Structure formats: structure tokens, C-alpha cells
Amino acid sequence: MLLEFKDVKKSYPGSDGPVAVLNGVSFRLGQGETLALTGESGSGKSTLLHIASGLEQADAGRVLLDGQNMTQADDSSRAALRRTDISLVFQQFNLIPSLTVAANISFQARLAGRVDTQHIDGLTKALGLAEHLGKYPETLSGGQQQRVAIARALAARPKLLLADEPTGNLDEATAADVLEQMLNLVAQTGAALMMVTHSPKIAGQMDRQLHLRGGVLV
Ligand SMILES: Nc1ncnc2c1ncn2[C@@H]1O[C@H](COP(=O)(O)OP(=O)(O)OP(=O)(O)O)[C@@H](O)[C@H]1O
């Protein structure tokens, strides 16, 4: 099993005491599997994704990545796992403005110590980015910027790709293209994918769907 949540709980401080966002969340994600995470605004989808990525810690329960207990790992081991095994794609692209497209794409692979130029060339071509490599992110369209973020995320050959509304900032036609390319590349690289989405149509393209309601998965 690649990712396993066991009775995960998370609260945030509210004006009248802690507010439970995740109230005992359990699920498993196998290698290469794709999973959609849906739920109303504020239901805790991003919180769950951040805990899966190690960006945030659960208050209780266990999160296992490839059998390793992330809940007990210290900050530096969680950071190491994030560099080597997990990649994230966000709604807002989050590219590094001072780096060229080429440098953005190889950034995480460099951090992970896993630069494979042939693999990066393949991603760049598949995403139609070959003629944009020397440009800076601000000169690209939203769709092109998100393609750069996807190439960066997959360049390090992560076992797990976590995507938070990755096509939420794109028009419908661009969103459909970017999603198709992302799903093809995820399948090719063998990564597992967990994607937060508000779109039932997008959720329907994943192997499985989980819905968050009232702090639990239904
Ligand atoms: N750092 C934080 N401090 C306090 N409360 C937080 C924090 N992060 C999230 N929350 C609260 O936790 C709840 C869940 O937030 P989260 O962003 O996980 O929801 P979501 O389902 O991803 O929402 P959306 O679909 O609107 O992005 C919200 O009520 C939010 O206000």
C-alpha cells in the first residue's frame, strides 16, 4: 500500500475552542491508483492533502507512506520524503518567478538528486513546452504555467502526486487538455494520484472517488 490514513484527526483553533475538520479519516491508496477527493467548500479537502504531503501534521491517527509512519517522522525526515517521493500541484501554479521554465521544471528533481534529462525532455515535449524553456513563468498563459508545474512535479519520478484543484484556474477547454495530459503522464510514470476537485466530471475520470462530509469520508 502506498498511502494509508488510519483514523486521522485534525482540528484548528476557533473562537469557541478547537474546531474539528477531520474527525477520523481512514483510506488506502495503492501504487499507481488515481483517487478523487470531493466535498463542499471548507469540508477539509486541502487539509487532508496537506497532511498526506507532510506539510501539516495530524493531531491523532496514523499516516503511512510506503509503510513509513509519517506521523512519527521528524520535520527533516518528512521534508526528505516530500523531496523524493511526493510532488504537489496547486491551483495557483506556484512556479518560481525568478527561474526560467527549464529551471523550474528541473527544480524538484535537483532537490531530490534525481535529474534524468531524457525523462525531463519527454515530459517537456508531451506537455508542449519545448519552445518555452528559456522563458520566465510570467510570460506564459495560465495553461502553460500549469503544464510547467506538472512537468516539475513529475520530473523527480514521485510515487505520489497530490493535486489541489489543478485545473481550477483554467478555462474549460484548457482545463480538459491539461487534465488529459496530466492523467496520461501519471499513468506513464506509474505515480499514484490524489486529486481534490469540485468537478464531478473530473472526479469521474479517476479510479475511485472519496467524499468528505462532516469530517469523515463517505
Ligand atoms: N491554518 C488554519 N487555521 C485555522 N483554520 C483553518 C486552517 N486551515 C484550514 N482551516 C479551516 O479548516 C476548514 C477546512 O479547510 P480546507 O481548506 O481544508 O477546506 P477545503 O475543503 O479544501 O475548502 P475549499 O474547497 O474551499 O478549498 C475550514 O473551515 C478552514 O477555515
Side-chain angles (χ1 to χ4, degrees):
M1 201 46 55
L2 181 63
L3 178 68
E4 203 166 348
F5 269 50
K6 288 185 180 172
D7 206 18
V8 168
K9 297 185 178 162
K10 178 79 181 174
S11 306
Y12 289 116
S15 45
D16 299 324
V19 178
V21 177
L22 303 180
N23 210 355
V25 165
S26 302
F27 69 93
R28 302 166 118 205
L29 179 68
Q31 276 176 5
E33 227 188 327
T34 62
L35 176 70
L37 180 61
T38 58
E40 280 179 13
S41 185
S43 58
K45 304 181 295 298
S46 299
T47 301
L48 192 159
L49 212 68
H50 292 162
I51 291 173
S53 74
L55 282 172
E56 283 193 59
Q57 280 271 48
D59 298 334
R62 287 204 289 163
V63 178
L64 305 173
L65 181 75
D66 238 355
Q68 283 193 70
N69 192 342
M70 297 225 286
T71 14
Q72 279 167 358
D74 57 23
D75 283 352
S76 67
S77 345
R78 277 188 292 129
L81 284 175
R82 269 209 307 281
R83 274 197 302 275
T84 55
D85 289 345
I86 305 175
S87 286
L88 288 130
V89 176
F90 300 96
Q91 187 173 348
Q92 299 84 357
F93 321 139
N94 289 5
L95 299 174
I96 301 165
S98 58
L99 296 182
T100 61
V101 166
N104 264 285
I105 292 175
S106 58
F107 186 78
Q108 194 179 350
R110 272 181 213 290
L111 285 184
R114 239 187 242 159
V115 180
D116 173 345
T117 25
Q118 230 180 339
H119 175 53
I120 291 177
D121 281 353
L123 290 170
T124 306
K125 287 203 183 90
L127 290 160
L129 294 169
E131 72 260 43
H132 303 297
L133 290 173
K135 297 181 183 171
Y136 286 88
E138 65 183 7
T139 66
L140 302 182
S141 71
Q144 288 165 339
Q145 290 189 48
Q146 195 59 309
R147 287 182 174 94
V148 175
I150 290 166
R152 175 179 62 183
L154 293 174
R157 293 191 183 278
K159 291 179 187 161
L160 175 62
L161 179 63
L162 299 169
D164 199 345
E165 293 267 5
T167 57
N169 266 342
L170 306 175
D171 66 70
E172 207 176 325
T174 310
D177 280 351
V178 169
L179 184 72
E180 189 184 339
Q181 287 171 337
M182 186 168 93
L183 292 180
N184 285 340
L185 290 170
V186 162
Q188 268 175 39
T189 59
L193 170 68
M194 181 155 80
M195 187 192 314
V196 167
T197 181
H198 280 285
S199 158
K201 194 172 152 203
I202 293 176
Q205 292 178 252
M206 308 292 126
D207 296 333
R208 275 197 300 144
Q209 298 181 33
L210 294 175
H211 190 76
L212 252 182
R213 190 189 299 140
V216 292
L217 290 169
V218 292

